[in-house]
Amino acid sequence: MTQQLLAPGIRGITRDDVEKMIARQNDPASTFRRIARLRREAWDLYEGMDLPDSGDEEWRRTDVRALDFGELRTSELTHTISGDADTAVISSMSAALENYEVGFERFDTAMFDLVRPDEWKFLALNAALWSDGLYVDVAPDTDVALPITMMTRGLTDGRAAFPRSLVRAGRGSRVRIVDDCGSDDVRKSLVSSAVEIVVEDGAHVEYYDINRWGDGVYNFKTVRATLGRDAEFTAMAAGIGSKLTKMRVDVEMPESGAQAKLLGVTFGDGHQHFDYSTLQNHTGKHTISDLQFKSALADYASLVWHGIVRINETAGGSEANQTSRNLLLSEHAKAAPIPILEIKAHDVSKCSHGATVGPVEETELFYLESRGIPHDLAEHMLVEGFFADVIDRIPNPEVRARVMDAVLAKAGGTAGALTFDEVMSAT
């Protein structure tokens, strides 16, 4: 079959782009040959793979086959630590982190084992054409007090970008990663990205994805973490931007005592569509995972959350929970939470799930409005309170405020802005 038949709507990206990417590499001969081979193999996979069937449970509410991306061009990407370069995707790091044992390198020589190119078509495209990202390597027993911020900016009309990052936290280390992606509103553009996170024994990693992509961006992202013995991992997906986001957040717990928290906050408006797939995969004994996702949806926005808790036969004594709460701010907004439990162990400590979809409580709005608070401001107050219990689980106050401000910007304010005096002055 031809590429056009297998992948309708993906035009302008060809094998020549892969060869141009290979030609730009400046690596030792052995590394060059390996990376070139992996890129070409990934392109072959891409050409031979079909897009997901809309009949598949994970994809039936986000039909990728129906999308038309138009004529796309690959971005000319440059990796920089300072963030001053004028490129399509920029990663920046705080200079203050030089005081810690943290390595920031191009990942040309890094090995990627967690997110594979054969998983689906756009991941194969990422593996063939990745052009920017970071390998963050935290030394054992290193406590990085400051958040490491990776800024991604500058996507332009009709461009396709393929970031890829690897975070490795050594035994007993602590690190916090903020992955902040954004752009102006653009004509149709595509981002297909992958993030791999390795949390070694006893390490603590927090990873926060803030999606501020502009209208017109189709955002496909896979985040996957694997946890060592007694490791702890927190991940948050903050969905604000893009025309469409399809995001996977998976955590693998093969060793005993590992703990994971998966958090999500999404504010959608207009015709935005967010589709999250999550996996809490318990294999080691006495592992713990907890998922809390919340969304507020206005206008014609829609959201899907498809979450799996899998407790394998070897994961005796494990505990898992998943909760999805969705607030509809318009009669046209839609949410479809789908929790799934797969329990194969006979001695599970605890396993639970719950999901709700509903409008703003009219009695709460009436209470605020009856005291002279305008409708929009009253709704903003309720949205801030709705998200607070999830965002309050972010340990670092700086990151906590950053996420809340980003989400609440759509509701017409920022975190903590609604003091009594300010509320009364608006009446």
Side-chain angles (χ1 to χ4, degrees), residues 92-164:
S92 64
M93 292 293 168
S94 170
L97 291 167
E98 294 174 359
N99 297 325
Y100 298 94
E101 292 186 61
V102 181
F104 307 112
E105 307 171 13
R106 288 195 62 88
F107 52 70
D108 295 2
T109 58
M111 295 300 293
F112 297 96
D113 300 320
L114 299 184
V115 180
R116 304 182 312 276
D118 61 356
E119 293 185 33
W120 80 286
K121 195 174 185 73
F122 287 177
L123 279 179
L125 194 58
N126 174 281
L129 288 168
W130 57 262
S131 57
D132 190 57
L134 289 176
Y135 173 28
V136 179
D137 192 0
V138 184
D141 300 316
T142 299
D143 187 348
V144 183
L146 296 174
I148 298 175
T149 299
M150 298 188 289
M151 300 290 293
T152 304
R153 293 291 186 271
L155 190 68
T156 56
D157 289 349
R159 291 284 185 171
F162 304 97
R164 194 173 187 110

Side-chain angles (χ1 to χ4, degrees), residues 150-301:
M150 298 188 289
M151 300 290 293
T152 304
R153 293 291 186 271
L155 190 68
T156 56
D157 289 349
R159 291 284 185 171
F162 304 97
R164 194 173 187 110
S165 296
L166 171 62
V167 176
R168 188 182 303 277
R171 181 189 297 265
S173 66
R174 290 176 177 266
V175 67
R176 205 171 277 116
I177 307 289
V178 180
D179 193 351
D180 192 330
C181 304
S183 71
D184 295 331
D185 291 343
V186 297
R187 185 170 53 82
K188 290 180 181 177
S189 295
L190 169 70
V191 179
S192 176
S193 55
V195 178
E196 302 186 1
I197 302 172
V198 179
V199 189
E200 296 186 356
D201 294 353
H204 297 241
V205 172
E206 299 168 30
Y207 172 80
Y208 303 98
D209 179 86
I210 304 177
N211 162 14
R212 308 177 197 250
W213 292 116
D215 187 34
V217 177
Y218 293 83
N219 173 40
F220 298 89
K221 189 162 194 172
T222 297
V223 177
R224 186 164 297 136
T226 183
L227 279 55
R229 182 182 297 271
D230 298 323
E232 295 186 15
F233 176 62
T234 297
M236 170 170 276
I240 304 159
S242 79
K243 179 179 180 63
L244 178 148
T245 285
K246 179 71 172 80
M247 183 175 183
R248 287 199 59 91
V249 183
D250 298 345
V251 58
E252 302 283 344
M253 293 169 281
E255 304 294 338
S256 64
Q259 299 186 35
K261 290 191 296 186
L262 303 183
L263 309 175
V265 289
T266 299
F267 198 131
D269 62 9
H271 288 81
Q272 286 183 291
H273 178 67
F274 297 88
D275 187 335
Y276 299 102
S277 296
T278 63
L279 173 64
Q280 301 153 254
N281 195 20
H282 297 252
T283 306
K285 292 183 179 297
H286 304 291
T287 48
I288 298 173
S289 71
D290 182 33
L291 178 146
Q292 290 194 22
F293 269 47
K294 283 193 172 184
S295 74
L297 304 169
D299 303 326
Y300 290 84

Side-chain angles (χ1 to χ4, degrees), residues 59-79:
W59 293 93
R60 68 188 183 93
R61 293 169 179 83
T62 302
D63 186 1
V64 186
R65 291 171 177 265
L67 302 178
D68 182 358
F69 301 104
E71 188 81 13
L72 295 179
R73 296 169 296 151
T74 57
S75 292
E76 298 293 329
L77 305 180
T78 301
H79 172 79

